[in-house]
């Protein structure tokens, strides 16, 4: 597992690096939060990112949260102090673990494990939500196409669906694709979509 440690000064990164090495990790790179470090991180393609901010300013917190959005990886953030706004911003940005005043090398491995698990759990929920939205959109498209067929061909709902399904099977396409094409054609021909 490739792990990137982002630190503003490099001094406190030693604690994280020692904790990771003691836990058996050896593909670790410390990146100073200076210059074009986000591009460097993207080239590294780490599996996990640990961010150590100490006492973050609003600007440094925004930079670190931009990393979370850009990388889409498990990220644990260590800070010395926090407030509700910072916690909210971290959660909104997808930080998997936000640790206040907890930078001790023996805690690094459990926090890393937590960040990875929370990231995967959130990713699964996001994928499930995306699937549900897609299915709902397809269902609405199919329902609109059925309504067009029911009105234009004087079919019942079951018959309209059967016609869509048969057409999709004959063309080797999904029912939603056939339904979308029907809606488009009806719009072009001046019918109700």
């Amino acid at each position: 597992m490739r792990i990137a440690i982002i630190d503003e000064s490099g001094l406190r990164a030693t604690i994280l690096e020692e904790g990771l090495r003691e836990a058996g990790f050896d593909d670790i790179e410390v990146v100073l939060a200076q210059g074009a470090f986000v591009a460097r991180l993207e080239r590294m393609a780490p599996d996990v990112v640990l961010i150590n901010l100490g006492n973050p300013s609003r600007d440094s917190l925004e930079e670190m949260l931009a990393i979370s959005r850009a990388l889409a990886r498990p990220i644990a953030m260590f800070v010395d102090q926090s407030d509700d706004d910072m916690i909210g911003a971290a959660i909104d940005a997808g930080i998997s673990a936000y640790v206040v005043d907890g930078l001790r090398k023996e805690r690094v491995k459990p926090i890393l494990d937590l960040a990875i698990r929370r990231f995967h759990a959130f990713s699964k929920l996001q994928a499930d939500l995306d699937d549900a939205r897609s299915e709902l959109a397809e269902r609405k498209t199919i329902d609109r196409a059925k309504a067009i067929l029911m009105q234009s061909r004087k079919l019942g709902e079951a018959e309209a669906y059967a016609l869509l399904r048969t057409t999709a099977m004959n063309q080797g396409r999904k029912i939603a694709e056939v339904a979308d094409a029907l809606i488009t054609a009806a719009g072009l021909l001046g019918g109700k979509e």
Side-chain angles (χ1 to χ4, degrees):
M1 179 182 315
R2 175 172 285 157
I3 302 171
I5 299 173
I6 301 172
D7 196 284
E8 292 178 320
S9 67
L11 299 174
R12 294 166 42 102
T14 306
I15 297 169
L16 291 172
E17 189 172 4
E18 286 177 6
L20 290 168
R21 292 201 188 282
E22 287 179 13
F25 298 101
D26 58 2
D27 192 358
I28 303 166
E29 188 162 345
V30 177
V31 178
L32 293 180
Q34 301 168 352
F37 73 97
V38 176
R40 184 174 169 204
L41 274 175
E42 288 176 335
R43 285 190 304 273
M44 280 178 54
D47 298 305
V48 179
V49 177
L50 302 179
I51 301 174
N52 183 25
L53 288 182
N55 296 314
S57 67
R58 291 282 173 214
D59 290 340
S60 63
L61 184 63
E62 280 301 315
E63 284 179 346
M64 298 308 155
L65 299 182
I67 293 167
S68 173
R69 293 181 193 107
L71 291 179
R73 299 278 192 281
I75 297 177
M77 182 179 287
F78 295 85
V79 297
D80 287 341
Q81 311 176 33
S82 187
D83 61 36
D84 289 343
D85 291 339
M86 286 185 193
I87 293 169
I91 290 169
D92 291 344
I95 299 295
S96 303
Y98 187 84
V99 183
V100 180
D101 193 26
L103 184 58
R104 291 187 301 278
K105 68 179 180 179
E106 63 273 0
R107 291 189 66 201
V108 174
K109 170 84 166 80
I111 290 169
L112 178 75
D113 292 341
L114 171 69
I116 293 169
R117 287 181 182 209
R118 287 197 64 212
F119 176 79
H120 289 301
F122 182 77
S123 294
K124 182 181 180 325
L125 286 174
Q126 189 64 48
D128 290 348
L129 178 60
D130 292 345
D131 289 347
R133 285 180 176 156
S134 177
E135 288 177 22
L136 180 60
E138 285 182 1
R139 174 56 40 209
K140 286 181 179 180
T141 300
I142 292 169
D143 286 346
R144 286 176 61 200
K146 285 191 307 188
I148 291 168
L149 288 173
M150 291 166 62
Q151 182 182 16
S152 66
R153 303 207 41 200
K154 307 297 183 224
L155 300 173
E157 185 176 355
E159 295 167 310
Y161 183 78
L163 181 57
L164 286 171
R165 186 181 65 232
T166 302
T167 304
M169 287 176 21
N170 290 342
Q171 294 179 2
R173 298 167 60 190
K174 292 175 61 176
I175 295 173
E177 292 172 0
V178 170
D180 191 46
L182 176 65
I183 293 167
T184 300
L188 289 172
L189 294 174
K192 292 183 179 179
E193 26 173 304

